[in-house]
Amino acid sequence: MTLQELQKQVLQLPISDRWQLVQTILDSLQRETSSELKKGNLSRLRGIAKSTETSGEDVCGRRLC
């Protein structure tokens, strides 16, 4: 079934059924979007907790106090 065929059939449904379909589609989109956002956030945070070695000098180039 093509998108155009589906749209034509949906428009023939009673309005209450179309509202229910809209809600179902929105719920699905929110779940998938939320899932993708979480994955994206985890990817950006990956490695943030890695420690770095210090050379014994602070930012100013002097020995640590």
Side-chain angles (χ1 to χ4, degrees):
M1 175 181 302
T2 67
L3 177 59
Q4 290 78 18
E5 292 170 334
L6 181 59
Q7 287 172 333
K8 186 177 178 180
Q9 287 186 359
V10 166
L11 293 175
Q12 293 173 359
L13 292 171
I15 194 164
S16 61
D17 289 349
R18 287 187 277 162
W19 275 115
Q20 185 175 357
L21 181 58
V22 166
Q23 187 61 53
T24 301
I25 292 170
L26 285 174
D27 291 343
S28 169
L29 289 169
Q30 287 175 332
R31 278 193 310 275
E32 289 183 38
T33 302
S34 176
S35 175
E36 291 300 316
L37 288 175
K38 288 177 185 174
K39 287 179 187 175
N41 287 341
L42 289 177
S43 294
R44 285 193 298 273
L45 293 175
R46 184 173 290 134
I48 198 169
K50 287 183 180 178
S51 63
T52 58
E53 292 185 31
T54 59
S55 63
E57 296 180 356
D58 66 7
V59 178
C60 298
R62 296 180 302 210
R63 301 289 296 164
L64 293 173
C65 301

